[in-house]
Amino acid sequence: MAMEVDADDELLQDAGDAAYPTLDRQTSYYNPLDTFKLAKGDQKHYQQQYGDLYFLRLAKLKPAVEALANEEWKDFEIAGEKVRRVDRVLDVRQGELCWVAGTVYMDMPLKPNILDDISKDHWIAAPPPREKFVSPTGQDQTMLEDESGRLRLIGTPLQLSMLVTGCIIAVMGTENANGDFEVVDMKVPDLPRQPQRWERDEASAVISNGTGSKRKSNGEQKRVEGGKIAIVSGLGISGDQGDTLTLDLLMEYLLGEACGPSEQAEVSKISRLIIAGNSITEGTPLALREEEKKASRKYGYDSSAYNPAPTTHFDDFLATLLPSIPVTLIPGETDPANVSMPQQPIHPAMFPRSRNYAAIPDAVEPGWFDSVTNPWEGDVDGWRLMGNGGQPIDDVFKYVEGDERLEMMESLLRWRCGAPTAPDTLWCYPFQDRDPFVIEECPHVYFVGNQPRYDTVVIEGPVGQSVRLICVPKFKETGEIVLLDTDTLETELVKFDVFENNS
C-alpha cells in the first residue's frame, strides 16, 4: 500500500526564493614586529662569544633598576648608617651598608656544564635531561656579577623571590666576615612603559601620510567591536589517522561548519588564529628493511627514512582554514625550524599549498598566512601581544622548586627579559650589538604555548600597566583552545573531545 507524504515533509524540495543571511568574518587589524628576526646569509655568524649578551643585557637594564632602587632606598638607614650606592660589585666593602646592581648567576651543581663534560672526556651516551636543576641537598648558590667580578648573595629575600640566571637586580645589604653579601632588600626593573591601544597603528598612519598632518589609520576608520582571537598550541600532528578527528572538529568549528546559526555568529567574530608552537610532533623516521637502507643511503643521508606525512597533514589543515581566517604561525621545539632562540619562521617550502596565502619575500605588508619567529610580538586589533612556544618558561621551570607557570611568566615581565636563561641553559644566537630578549615595551597580552594546563591572570604594573597572562595548553593532550576577547581582554576556553565507546 502506498503511503502518502505531506509536501512539507518531503526530503527533496525546491530551494525556494527565501533569502538566508550570510556571515562575514570580522576583520583582523594586524601589525607585527620584526624584533627577533636574524640577518640572512653571510651576515649571520656563530663565531662570537656568548658572554657579550649578558653585558648587553646589563648595560640596557641596569639604569632602569638603579633608578627604581635609588628612589626606594635614597633615605634608607639602619642604626644611623645611611645606605650608599656602589658602582661595581668589587667596590662592596665589608660591614658597610650599600646597594649594587648586577646580573644574577645561579651556581647549581645539577645544571649541565659543557666544560665539565669536556674535561671528564667520557665518551658515553649523554644522560637524560633533568626535570629540575634544584639541588635536594641545598648546594645551590646565588651570585651577583658584573664586568668587575662576582659576589655571593645570602639572606631571606632570596628565598622569598624567584631568581634565575640572567635576570638583572639591585640588592641592598652588607658584606659579612665570610665575604658573603647579606641581602636586606631587593629590586627588579619591573614592567616597562606600556603603549596605548592603537598607538603604533596611528603613529604609522601619520608617518605614511608624509604631509605632516595627521590622518586616520585604516583601523581607526573601520574598527569593529566584539572581535576575538583564537590561540592554540601543541597540535602535535603526526600524520597518523588517530590525530585527525579532533583536528577536524577544530577546523570545522573555526570554519563555522560544526555549529548552528547562533554559534556561527560567535565564530565569525574570531578574526585571527595564532598557533603557538609544536604544531608537528617530533620526527620519527620511517621503518625500513635492511636491504632498503643499504640501497637508499647516499652521501651518508638516508632520504627514504624521511616521513613527510606530518608536514603534509599540517599543510592541508592550514590550506583548509586560510581561505576563511588569517593565521599567525609561531614555531616550537618540535617544529621544522632552527633549535636555538630566537627560532626563525618555518620556511614556506614546507607548505606547498598554504604558502600561496603568504606574503612575497621582503614584502612590507604581512600576508594572510604569516609564519613568524619564536618569540614573537606584534599588534593585533590594536593590542600589543607577545608570546612564545614555551621554551623560555620550561627552562625557568628547571631553576625553581614549584610549578606556578603564571608566576614565572610574571617574573619574566618584571625582569624585562623574555628569555633570561639564554644562553646559559637555553640555546640562543650569540648577539653582539643588542639583546632582543630585553622587553622594551610592556605588552597587553602575554601568552605562552605548550603548557601543562590552561591558566590566566591579570597583573598590574607600578604606573598603571595591565597585562593579561595566558598559559595555552597542548591541544593534542587537552583538546582546548583559548579565545581572547579584543574588547575586554577576557578569555574563554573551548574544549573539543571525541567520545569513545569502550563497550
Side-chain angles (χ1 to χ4, degrees):
M1 182 177 71
M3 182 173 60
E4 295 183 1
V5 180
D6 187 68
D8 294 336
D9 295 334
E10 291 183 3
L11 297 178
L12 298 178
Q13 298 184 26
D14 295 334
D17 299 328
Y20 294 94
T22 59
L23 293 173
D24 294 328
R25 189 175 295 278
Q26 193 141 317
T27 305
S28 173
Y29 302 105
Y30 183 65
N31 196 357
L33 289 165
D34 295 332
T35 308
F36 302 99
K37 281 195 174 180
L38 300 177
K40 297 181 179 179
D42 297 338
Q43 300 178 356
K44 184 165 58 177
H45 305 285
Y46 288 88
Q47 290 85 8
Q48 309 96 316
Q49 292 293 324
Y50 283 90
D52 294 338
L53 186 60
Y54 285 119
F55 295 122
L56 290 169
R57 187 177 302 169
L58 180 61
K60 186 72 176 179
L61 294 178
K62 190 175 182 179
V65 72
E66 284 186 335
L68 190 64
N70 185 63
E71 181 68 23
E72 187 72 18
W73 299 330
K74 60 182 179 181
D75 298 323
F76 186 86
E77 61 180 46
I78 297 179
E81 181 183 4
K82 192 173 182 179
V83 66
R84 77 176 187 93
R85 171 184 173 271
V86 296
D87 294 327
R88 304 183 310 161
V89 165
L90 291 188
D91 293 335
V92 174
R93 295 292 177 260
Q94 182 178 332
E96 183 180 27
L97 182 63
C98 62
W99 65 268
V100 63
T103 306
V104 172
Y105 175 76
M106 302 299 294
D107 188 3
M108 312 175 82
L110 298 183
K111 192 169 60 174
N113 190 327
I114 184 63
L115 297 180
D116 290 344
D117 296 341
I118 294 176
S119 62
K120 292 175 183 177
D121 197 22
H122 289 169
W123 296 98
I124 58 177
R130 296 182 183 273
E131 184 180 359
K132 292 279 190 180
F133 298 149
V134 180
S135 173
T137 57
Q139 302 179 37
D140 302 332
Q141 298 181 5
T142 304
M143 306 287 186
L144 187 74
E145 64 178 17
D146 60 12
E147 64 278 1
S148 67
R150 181 178 290 180
L151 185 66
R152 191 169 78 141
L153 305 179
I154 60 173
T156 304
L158 302 180
Q159 302 172 1
L160 302 177
S161 304
M162 181 181 295
L163 292 176
V164 300
T165 295
C167 59
I168 309 299
I169 64 171
V171 291
M172 178 184 64
T174 58
E175 185 179 4
N176 60 21
N178 297 325
D180 300 331
F181 191 84
E182 296 183 3
V183 178
V184 176
D185 196 7
M186 182 181 69
K187 295 296 176 185
V188 297
D190 219 323
L191 302 183
R193 172 193 175 273
Q194 187 176 55
Q196 297 293 324
R197 188 183 183 186
W198 302 110
E199 177 180 309
R200 182 162 160 259
D201 298 88
E202 293 172 357
S204 300
V206 174
I207 296 174
S208 62
N209 192 18
T211 62
S213 60
K214 182 175 179 179
R215 67 174 178 83
K216 290 186 177 182
S217 64
N218 293 333
E220 191 176 358
Q221 294 172 354
K222 305 176 183 178
R223 290 170 195 166
V224 181
E225 297 182 352
K228 296 181 180 180
I229 302 169
I231 309 175
V232 66
S233 70
L235 294 176
I237 299 176
S238 62
D240 299 333
Q241 293 296 326
D243 61 6
T244 58
L245 186 53
T246 311
L247 280 174
D248 287 344
L249 290 175
L250 172 61
M251 180 176 62
E252 292 175 1
Y253 170 78
L254 294 173
L255 295 176
E257 298 175 353
C259 44
S262 60
E263 189 68 21
Q264 286 177 343
E266 291 298 317
V267 172
S268 67
K269 296 178 181 179
I270 302 176
S271 61
R272 176 169 293 272
L273 172 65
I274 298 178
I275 303 177
N278 290 7
S279 303
I280 298 174
T281 190
E282 290 188 84
T284 52
L286 296 173
L288 300 176
R289 295 192 301 271
E290 193 65 31
E291 57 270 17
E292 290 178 332
K293 292 181 180 180
K294 295 179 180 180
S296 59
R297 187 176 296 275
K298 185 177 182 182
Y299 303 117
Y301 169 68
D302 190 1
S303 60
S304 62
Y306 168 67
N307 185 7
T311 53
T312 301
H313 283 223
F314 185 42
D315 185 30
D316 294 340
F317 173 77
L318 293 174
T320 306
L321 290 176
L322 282 168
S324 175
I325 183 172
V327 176
T328 298
L329 176 61
I330 301 174
E333 185 178 11
T334 63
D335 291 323
N338 58 301
V339 176
S340 60
M341 304 291 285
Q343 288 183 290
Q344 297 305 285
I346 301 177
H347 199 279
M350 305 298 295
F351 310 107
R353 296 182 60 195
S354 305
R355 65 184 177 189
N356 296 325
Y357 297 89
I360 61 175
D362 300 324
V364 177
E365 296 294 329
W368 194 259
F369 172 48
D370 194 20
S371 181
V372 298
T373 60
N374 175 30
W376 168 84
E377 63 176 346
D379 293 348
V380 183
D381 292 339
W383 301 108
R384 176 65 52 83
L385 270 64
M386 184 174 71
N388 60 65
Q391 295 100 311
I393 297 297
D394 292 341
D395 203 58
V396 169
F397 165 79
K398 300 176 182 179
Y399 282 79
V400 298
E401 293 184 357
D403 190 18
E404 296 296 330
R405 300 299 176 117
L406 289 178
E407 184 180 351
M408 300 175 200
M409 294 170 62
E410 179 181 357
S411 297
L412 259 65
L413 292 180
R414 297 198 185 276
W415 295 333
R416 297 194 190 182
C417 188
T421 58
D424 185 30
T425 53
L426 184 65
W427 292 356
C428 78
Y429 179 78
F431 293 95
Q432 294 294 294
D433 54 353
R434 66 185 182 98
D435 181 4
F437 301 118
V438 172
I439 301 174
E440 305 269 354
E441 291 186 321
C442 181
H444 300 99
V445 178
Y446 179 40
F447 63 90
V448 175
N450 302 291
Q451 297 306 291
R453 59 188 177 276
Y454 162 76
D455 209 351
T456 182
V457 74
V458 176
I459 63 171
E460 304 289 339
V463 290
Q465 304 99 317
S466 178
V467 187
R468 165 71 67 177
L469 308 182
I470 306 175
C471 289
V472 185
K474 299 177 182 178
F475 181 81
K476 189 177 181 65
E477 297 178 2
T478 64
E480 297 172 346
I481 68 169
V482 180
L483 299 184
L484 175 68
D485 191 296
T486 56
D487 287 342
T488 63
L489 295 185
E490 294 292 331
T491 59
E492 175 187 353
L493 191 67
V494 179
K495 184 176 178 64
F496 302 88
D497 205 352
V498 178
F499 174 74
E500 296 181 2
N501 189 0
N502 297 325
S503 59

